[in-house]
């Protein structure tokens, strides 16, 4: 199986986690962590069920990884996520030691669906970091977009 096939397989799982998060009343985002192409942890967005605006899928995943995995395991891991990590999530995964991220929907594409509320591409943030973070994405755009359609209120356009 090619590395692209492996990445797509894990991204499909992250998108399914996003679908589950949405069904549970949360924002539609999901993520998972792999080590040596084996899923070791999964997480969903729990912003509403936890009443915590910082409970993004990635922050939930990284918090669990810190509790359960060694620093070496975290450093060797790959974080797969249904959408490009926001600035908060990018910072948390960087400081935890994760150095590889694969995402489906880009922050720019999310902005066209949900609005551009403080969306900064994670590659811009990681470009300023001391240690290199490998970022792959966007991938599986139609599948990644689908889980968001109908969830976010329609964007208001300003009259010219």
């Amino acid at each position: 199986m090619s590395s692209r096939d492996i990445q797509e397989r894990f991204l499909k799982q992250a998108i399914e986690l996003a679908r589950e998060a949405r069904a549970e009343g949360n924002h539609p985002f999901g993520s998972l962590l792999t080590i040596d192409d084996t899923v070791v942890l999964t997480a969903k967005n729990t912003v509403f069920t936890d009443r915590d605006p910082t409970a993004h899928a990635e922050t939930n995943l990284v918090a669990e990884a810190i509790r359960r995995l060694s620093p070496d395991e975290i450093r060797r891991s790959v974080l797969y996520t249904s959408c490009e990590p926001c600035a908060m999530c990018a910072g948390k995964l960087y400081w935890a030691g994760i150095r590889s991220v694969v995402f489906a929907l880009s922050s720019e594409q999310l902005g066209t669906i949900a609005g551009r509320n403080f969306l900064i591409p994670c590659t811009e943030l990681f470009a300023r970091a001391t240690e290199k973070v490998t970022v792959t994405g966007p991938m599986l755009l139609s599948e990644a977009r689908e889980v968001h359609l109908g969830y976010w209120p329609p964007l208001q356009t300003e009259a010219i």
Side-chain angles (χ1 to χ4, degrees):
M1 184 177 285
S2 75
S3 66
R4 174 98 181 173
D5 291 338
I6 292 167
Q7 290 171 336
E8 288 182 356
R9 183 183 66 183
F10 291 135
L11 284 177
K12 286 178 182 182
Q13 290 179 22
I15 293 166
E16 183 56 34
L17 289 164
R19 190 171 283 107
E20 292 172 15
R22 180 177 176 168
E24 293 165 4
N26 292 293
H27 293 142
F29 300 100
S31 62
L32 57 92
L33 200 67
T34 66
I35 298 174
D36 300 327
D37 294 333
T38 300
V39 176
V40 293
L41 296 171
T42 65
K44 298 176 261 189
N45 180 291
T46 57
V47 164
F48 293 120
T49 53
D50 287 348
R51 297 183 60 215
D52 178 355
T54 68
H56 293 191
E58 298 90 342
T59 59
N60 290 341
L61 184 74
V62 172
E64 189 67 17
I66 291 167
R67 285 190 291 273
R68 298 177 75 189
L69 302 174
S70 72
D72 177 63
E73 289 172 315
I74 291 171
R75 194 169 271 308
R76 293 186 304 115
S77 70
V78 179
L79 188 148
Y80 290 87
T81 185
S82 63
C83 189
E84 183 173 4
C86 72
M88 174 186 66
C89 293
K92 187 162 185 166
L93 71 90
Y94 179 82
W95 290 114
I98 296 169
R99 295 296 179 259
S100 186
V101 177
V102 181
F103 67 87
L105 193 67
S106 72
S107 60
E108 182 178 324
Q109 293 156 331
L110 178 63
T112 65
I113 299 168
R116 301 190 184 283
N117 187 8
F118 198 59
L119 296 176
I120 302 166
C122 69
T123 52
E124 289 182 27
L125 298 169
F126 293 139
R128 297 171 178 253
T130 303
E131 294 186 29
K132 182 181 184 333
V133 177
T134 303
V135 179
T136 305
M139 297 172 66
L140 301 178
L141 299 179
S142 62
E143 293 174 56
R145 283 178 54 85
E146 184 273 329
V147 73
H148 291 273
L149 296 178
Y151 178 82
W152 304 100
L155 297 177
Q156 303 296 316
T157 56
E158 292 182 34
I160 298 177

